[in-house]
Amino acid sequence: GGSAGLQVRNTSVALQSGVRIKNTHGSGTLTVSYDTAAGSTSAMTGGWDLDDAEEVFIEVDNLNKIYVRGTIDAGINYCYYAN
């Protein structure tokens, strides 16, 4: 899609190792992207496409660098564990 997505957190949340994000929507694809510039989306990666119940771990130093977007207009449902 053309959307950069939604930031998981728009405030700074320092991480020691990274974040695990899981698609919990039930249908549709969740795309998880990483932006090294935190908030500008100028350095956005293509992302990882997650089908229902799939998850990805991303080594990242701050949660505000992670964005999600979905293929379903009904909303985006996901959970994450950050450390």
Side-chain angles (χ1 to χ4, degrees):
S3 171
L6 303 170
Q7 265 181 309
V8 170
R9 291 294 296 251
N10 61 3
T11 56
S12 179
V13 179
L15 302 176
Q16 293 182 4
S17 60
V19 61
R20 180 175 307 280
I21 298 182
K22 182 175 184 175
N23 180 356
T24 60
H25 193 279
S27 63
T29 301
L30 178 73
T31 300
V32 181
S33 300
Y34 167 73
D35 178 26
T36 58
S40 72
T41 68
S42 62
M44 187 74 71
T45 63
W48 298 268
D49 291 332
L50 305 178
D51 289 328
D52 183 43
E54 288 186 329
E55 57 186 53
V56 63
F57 180 80
I58 303 167
E59 291 185 35
V60 63
D61 62 352
N62 202 303
L63 197 51
N64 66 1
K65 296 179 179 178
I66 302 297
Y67 290 75
V68 294
R69 65 182 180 275
T71 57
I72 305 231
D73 292 335
I76 301 171
N77 292 332
Y78 62 94
C79 62
Y80 67 87
Y81 173 78
N83 181 12

